[in-house]
Amino acid sequence: MDFKLNEEQQMLQETAARLVRGEYDFEKRERFRQSDAGFSEAFWQQLSELGLTTVPFDEAHGGFGGGAVELQLIMTELGRGLCLEPYLQSIVFGGGLINQAGNDEQKNDLLPQIAAGTLKVAPALLEPQSRYNLHDVVTKAESDGDGYRLSGRKAVVIGGHCADKLIVSARTSGEQRSHDGISLFVIDGNASGLQRITYETIDGLKGCDLILDSVSVPASALLGPVGQAHAAIDYQAGRAIAAICAEAVGAMEESVNLTLEYLKARKQFGVPIGKFQVLQHRMVDMASELEQARSMAVLAASVADAEPGNRRDSILAAAKNVIGRAGQYISEQSVQLHGGIGMTWEYSGAHYAKRLVMINHQLGDDDHHLEAFVALMKTS
């Protein structure tokens, strides 16, 4: 398999890298984090002006026509800059759900706006009891005249606080953990009966819980066939896993670089502490973990757009497991090798550690994906 980037992909990577390097230093990130939006609207606009928000969409919808490899290049650079913008939620996951499950009218209406960055969407799929199981849905959607009425609660909707549209999973039939009977609805962010409880997560992102109190939506809000949304949710979660793995690699690379620079600069007994062999061994272990993670991120991107099946699912589960463990290891080692400064709020290294820990818990942690991988091996 040829993993070399073509000329177009190299230009895309350089564009994203140059933008993040020029516009997203740590001090600016802190200002963006403390703003009401929790990210930079100006940076989001730059992403769209450079065409980076168009990447995964078809040309017919104003897109670039790219795939998971192109998303991997962008997500790695966003991870390197610890960027706070809801690219994963709106462009990759939310846009992917509409692209896969939506009818022509919905795609023609929503996808060009998402690609242009003028419409933000956020998938609201988790609930307080569901942990990592996206099929564990209690929220109900009942027929109400020509439309539906939704009631329930969705949890940890990253980017949901600023989303213009929310893609909400709700049960139209079946038991709580049944794969059948789950439907998707596109709900306006200002819908009557919808309450957003906004908060900041420990890694600096912003999200919200949604309380749906008899939210009425028209039949046109239904995304895909009634009760058959699980397949689309599962497939798009796989694409999001490949993307977040790439983001983790970018964050890990910066964390390793910061640690190496610190070991060269910090002195004890008149010499840089990087001269001590035991610390050199720990840096080698961090570099080894990073290299494995980098390889798994490339492999995940290579299958993310493939047909659904055991091979795709097992590779994505393996990638999330390996990268989750690697991120946890590198963040812990980075903090320990830095000493006290590694945990200070003013130092970027601590924020890379927090983001890597949270990435391990997004879309399933390493234990969850190890169990999924074992189960897939038994059935293959």
Side-chain angles (χ1 to χ4, degrees):
M1 187 176 290
D2 185 5
F3 291 113
K4 289 181 182 174
L5 300 179
N6 61 37
E7 188 176 346
E8 205 169 46
Q9 290 169 335
Q10 289 178 27
M11 289 176 61
L12 183 67
Q13 183 182 38
E14 288 168 8
T15 299
R18 192 163 51 247
L19 177 65
V20 172
R21 194 167 53 244
E23 301 294 333
Y24 228 96
D25 61 36
F26 179 64
E27 287 71 23
K28 286 182 179 176
R29 181 191 189 264
E30 281 300 279
R31 289 202 298 275
F32 302 155
R33 182 184 64 78
Q34 294 167 16
S35 67
D36 290 340
F39 63 91
S40 169
E41 287 283 1
F43 186 75
W44 181 260
Q45 197 170 349
Q46 286 179 295
L47 286 172
S48 64
E49 287 172 354
L50 290 170
L52 301 181
T53 53
T54 71
V55 165
F57 303 110
D58 293 337
E59 292 180 15
H61 299 126
F64 175 81
V69 173
E70 285 76 15
L71 286 176
Q72 177 201 8
L73 302 176
I74 297 171
M75 288 298 296
T76 300
E77 299 308 323
L78 295 180
R80 206 185 302 281
L82 280 178
C83 297
L84 300 163
E85 287 63 30
Y87 191 93
L88 176 73
Q89 291 75 27
S90 186
I91 306 300
V92 181
F93 206 165
L97 285 170
I98 294 169
N99 193 41
Q100 181 173 351
N103 56 35
D104 287 344
E105 186 178 346
Q106 289 168 326
K107 287 196 270 191
N108 291 334
D109 176 30
L110 298 175
L111 291 183
Q113 297 182 67
I114 297 172
T118 55
L119 181 81
K120 299 185 191 73
V121 299
L125 307 175
L126 292 172
E127 299 189 357
Q129 82 292 341
S130 61
R131 200 160 186 264
Y132 302 131
N133 301 305
L134 299 179
H135 59 277
D136 189 337
V137 178
V138 175
T139 298
K140 289 185 177 178
E142 300 170 308
S143 294
D144 181 25
D146 294 334
Y148 294 87
R149 188 173 63 252
L150 278 69
S151 299
R153 180 167 186 152
K154 312 303 283 190
V156 199
V157 185
I158 302 298
H161 66 291
C162 64
D164 304 296
K165 303 276 187 185
L166 296 148
I167 303 174
V168 177
S169 61
R171 190 162 288 288
T172 44
S173 64
E175 301 296 324
Q176 177 181 332
R177 304 196 74 175
S178 172
H179 289 190
D180 297 324
I182 300 172
S183 302
L184 286 174
F185 297 88
V186 181
I187 298 179
D188 194 277
N190 297 317
S192 176
L194 176 67
Q195 182 184 358
R196 295 192 256 200
I197 303 172
T198 300
Y199 45 80
E200 184 178 340
T201 56
I202 66 164
D203 55 346
L205 299 181
K206 263 190 176 173
C208 66
D209 284 4
L210 300 180
I211 297 176
L212 299 110
D213 183 10
S214 297
V215 176
S216 293
V217 295
S220 59
L222 181 67
L223 196 64
V226 178
Q228 299 177 35
H230 180 261
I233 293 171
D234 192 49
Y235 188 84
Q236 294 303 325
R239 290 180 68 250
I241 283 172
I244 204 171
C245 284
E247 181 190 351
V249 168
M252 277 188 257
E253 287 176 352
E254 284 304 301
S255 186
V256 169
N257 290 339
L258 280 172
T259 308
L260 182 60
E261 290 304 314
Y262 183 77
L263 294 192
K264 289 178 180 176
R266 179 80 167 90
K267 290 186 178 180
Q268 278 283 3
F269 309 113
V271 296
I273 59 175
K275 292 280 188 181
F276 302 143
Q277 194 173 41
V278 67
L279 300 188
Q280 292 175 356
H281 288 171
R282 291 173 73 168
M283 279 304 308
V284 169
D285 290 341
M286 290 172 69
S288 298
E289 291 287 337
L290 171 59
E291 203 54 46
Q292 288 184 50
R294 194 180 281 138
S295 299
M296 290 305 293
V298 171
L299 186 59
S302 71
V303 302
D305 290 333
E307 291 294 317
N310 269 19
R311 181 175 181 276
R312 175 183 184 268
D313 292 347
S314 58
I315 288 175
L316 291 171
K320 190 66 168 62
N321 171 269
V322 169
I323 289 172
R325 286 190 295 107
Q328 190 92 23
Y329 180 83
I330 286 174
S331 59
E332 289 172 357
Q333 290 296 314
S334 177
V335 169
Q336 289 178 21
L337 291 175
H338 274 89
I341 192 175
M343 286 300 292
T344 55
W345 194 257
E346 294 77 13
Y347 184 61
S348 63
H351 295 261
Y352 282 103
K354 289 175 183 175
R355 181 64 191 134
L356 286 169
V357 169
M358 287 301 290
I359 283 178
N360 188 27
H361 290 280
Q362 273 185 270
L363 299 166
D365 63 13
D366 54 319
D367 287 337
H368 174 83
H369 284 286
L370 179 60
E371 290 175 8
F373 182 81
V374 171
L376 287 164
M377 289 298 99
K378 288 179 179 177
T379 57
S380 62

